[in-house]
Coordinates of all heavy atoms in Angstrom, one line a residue:
V230 N 9.2 -4.6 -8.2 CA 10.2 -5.4 -8.8 C 11.3 -5.7 -7.9 O 11.8 -6.8 -7.7 CB 10.7 -4.8 -10.1 CG1 11.9 -5.5 -10.6 CG2 9.6 -4.9 -11.2
L231 N 11.8 -4.6 -7.2 CA 13.0 -4.8 -6.3 C 12.6 -5.2 -4.9 O 13.2 -6.1 -4.3 CB 13.7 -3.5 -6.2 CG 15.0 -3.5 -5.3 CD1 16.0 -4.5 -5.7 CD2 15.6 -2.1 -5.3
Y234 N 11.8 -9.0 -4.5 CA 13.0 -9.9 -4.6 C 14.2 -9.3 -3.9 O 15.3 -9.6 -4.3 CB 13.3 -10.2 -6.1 CG 12.1 -10.9 -6.8 CD1 11.1 -10.3 -7.4 CD2 12.1 -12.3 -6.7 CE1 10.1 -11.0 -8.0 CE2 11.0 -13.0 -7.3 CZ 10.1 -12.3 -8.0 OH 9.0 -13.0 -8.6
A236 N 15.5 -10.1 -1.1 CA 16.3 -11.1 -0.5 C 17.2 -11.7 -1.6 O 18.4 -11.9 -1.3 CB 15.4 -12.2 0.1
A237 N 16.7 -11.9 -2.8 CA 17.6 -12.4 -3.9 C 18.7 -11.4 -4.2 O 19.8 -11.7 -4.4 CB 16.7 -12.7 -5.1
F238 N 18.3 -10.1 -4.2 CA 19.3 -9.1 -4.5 C 20.4 -9.0 -3.5 O 21.6 -8.9 -3.8 CB 18.6 -7.7 -4.7 CG 19.6 -6.6 -4.9 CD1 20.2 -6.4 -6.2 CD2 20.0 -5.8 -3.9 CE1 21.1 -5.4 -6.4 CE2 20.9 -4.8 -4.1 CZ 21.5 -4.6 -5.3
L239 N 20.0 -9.1 -2.2 CA 20.9 -9.0 -1.1 C 21.8 -10.2 -1.1 O 23.0 -10.1 -0.8 CB 20.2 -8.9 0.2 CG 19.5 -7.5 0.4 CD1 18.6 -7.6 1.7 CD2 20.5 -6.4 0.5
G240 N 21.3 -11.4 -1.5 CA 22.1 -12.6 -1.6 C 23.2 -12.3 -2.7 O 24.4 -12.7 -2.5
H241 N 22.8 -11.7 -3.8 CA 23.8 -11.4 -4.9 C 24.8 -10.4 -4.4 O 26.0 -10.5 -4.8 CB 23.0 -10.8 -6.1 CG 23.8 -9.9 -7.0 ND1 24.7 -10.4 -7.9 CD2 23.9 -8.5 -7.1 CE1 25.3 -9.4 -8.5 NE2 24.8 -8.3 -8.1
A242 N 24.4 -9.5 -3.5 CA 25.4 -8.5 -2.9 C 26.2 -9.1 -1.8 O 27.0 -8.3 -1.2 CB 24.6 -7.3 -2.5
A293 N 22.7 -0.3 -7.9 CA 23.1 -0.8 -9.1 C 24.6 -0.8 -9.2 O 25.3 -1.7 -9.7 CB 22.5 -0.1 -10.3
L353 N 7.2 -9.7 -13.3 CA 8.3 -9.1 -14.0 C 9.6 -9.4 -13.3 O 10.6 -9.7 -13.9 CB 8.1 -7.6 -14.2 CG 9.3 -6.8 -14.8 CD1 9.6 -7.3 -16.2 CD2 9.0 -5.3 -14.9
G354 N 9.6 -9.3 -11.9 CA 10.8 -9.6 -11.2 C 11.2 -11.0 -11.3 O 12.4 -11.3 -11.4
G355 N 10.2 -11.9 -11.4 CA 10.6 -13.4 -11.6 C 11.2 -13.6 -12.9 O 12.2 -14.4 -13.1
V356 N 10.6 -12.9 -14.0 CA 11.2 -13.1 -15.3 C 12.6 -12.5 -15.3 O 13.6 -13.2 -15.9 CB 10.3 -12.4 -16.3 CG1 11.0 -12.3 -17.7 CG2 9.0 -13.0 -16.5
L357 N 12.8 -11.4 -14.7 CA 14.2 -10.8 -14.7 C 15.2 -11.6 -13.9 O 16.3 -11.8 -14.3 CB 14.1 -9.4 -14.1 CG 13.5 -8.3 -14.9 CD1 13.3 -7.0 -14.1 CD2 14.3 -8.0 -16.1
L358 N 14.7 -12.2 -12.8 CA 15.6 -13.1 -12.0 C 16.1 -14.2 -12.8 O 17.3 -14.6 -12.7 CB 14.8 -13.6 -10.8 CG 15.6 -14.4 -9.8 CD1 16.7 -13.6 -9.2 CD2 14.7 -14.9 -8.7
D359 N 15.2 -14.9 -13.6 CA 15.6 -16.0 -14.4 C 16.5 -15.6 -15.6 O 17.4 -16.3 -16.0 CB 14.4 -16.8 -14.9 CG 13.7 -17.5 -13.7 OD1 14.3 -17.7 -12.7 OD2 12.5 -17.8 -13.9
A360 N 16.1 -14.5 -16.2 CA 16.7 -14.1 -17.5 C 18.0 -13.3 -17.3 O 18.9 -13.4 -18.1 CB 15.7 -13.3 -18.3
A361 N 18.0 -12.4 -16.3 CA 19.2 -11.5 -16.2 C 19.8 -11.5 -14.8 O 20.9 -10.9 -14.6 CB 18.7 -10.1 -16.5
G362 N 19.2 -12.1 -13.8 CA 19.8 -12.2 -12.5 C 19.4 -11.0 -11.6 O 18.9 -10.0 -12.1
P363 N 19.7 -11.1 -10.3 CA 19.2 -10.1 -9.4 C 19.9 -8.7 -9.6 O 19.3 -7.7 -9.2 CB 19.6 -10.6 -8.0 CG 20.5 -11.8 -8.3 CD 20.3 -12.3 -9.6
A364 N 21.0 -8.7 -10.3 CA 21.7 -7.4 -10.5 C 20.8 -6.5 -11.4 O 21.0 -5.3 -11.4 CB 23.1 -7.6 -11.1
S365 N 19.9 -7.1 -12.1 CA 19.1 -6.3 -13.1 C 18.0 -5.5 -12.3 O 17.4 -4.6 -12.9 CB 18.4 -7.2 -14.1 OG 17.5 -8.1 -13.5
F366 N 17.7 -5.8 -11.1 CA 16.5 -5.2 -10.4 C 16.7 -3.7 -10.2 O 15.8 -2.9 -10.6 CB 16.3 -5.9 -9.0 CG 15.8 -7.3 -9.1 CD1 16.2 -8.2 -8.2 CD2 15.1 -7.8 -10.2 CE1 15.8 -9.6 -8.3 CE2 14.7 -9.1 -10.3 CZ 15.0 -10.0 -9.3
P367 N 17.8 -3.2 -9.7 CA 17.9 -1.8 -9.5 C 17.9 -1.0 -10.8 O 17.4 0.1 -10.9 CB 19.2 -1.6 -8.7 CG 19.9 -2.8 -8.8 CD 18.9 -3.9 -9.0
W368 N 18.6 -1.6 -11.8 CA 18.6 -0.9 -13.1 C 17.2 -0.8 -13.7 O 16.8 0.2 -14.3 CB 19.5 -1.7 -14.1 CG 20.9 -1.6 -13.8 CD1 21.7 -2.7 -13.4 CD2 21.8 -0.5 -13.9 NE1 23.0 -2.2 -13.2 CE2 23.1 -0.9 -13.5 CE3 21.5 0.9 -14.2 CZ2 24.1 0.0 -13.5 CZ3 22.6 1.8 -14.2 CH2 23.9 1.3 -13.8
T369 N 16.4 -1.9 -13.5 CA 15.0 -1.8 -14.0 C 14.2 -0.8 -13.2 O 13.4 0.0 -13.8 CB 14.3 -3.2 -13.8 OG1 15.1 -4.2 -14.5 CG2 12.9 -3.2 -14.2
L370 N 14.4 -0.7 -11.9 CA 13.7 0.3 -11.1 C 14.1 1.7 -11.6 O 13.2 2.6 -11.8 CB 14.2 0.2 -9.6 CG 13.8 1.2 -8.6 CD1 12.3 1.5 -8.6 CD2 14.3 0.9 -7.2

Side-chain angles (χ1 to χ4, degrees):
V230 166
L231 180 57
Y234 295 94
F238 176 79
L239 292 173
H241 157 76
L353 177 58
V356 171
L357 289 170
L358 182 62
D359 292 337
S365 64
F366 295 147
W368 290 114
T369 302
L370 172 57

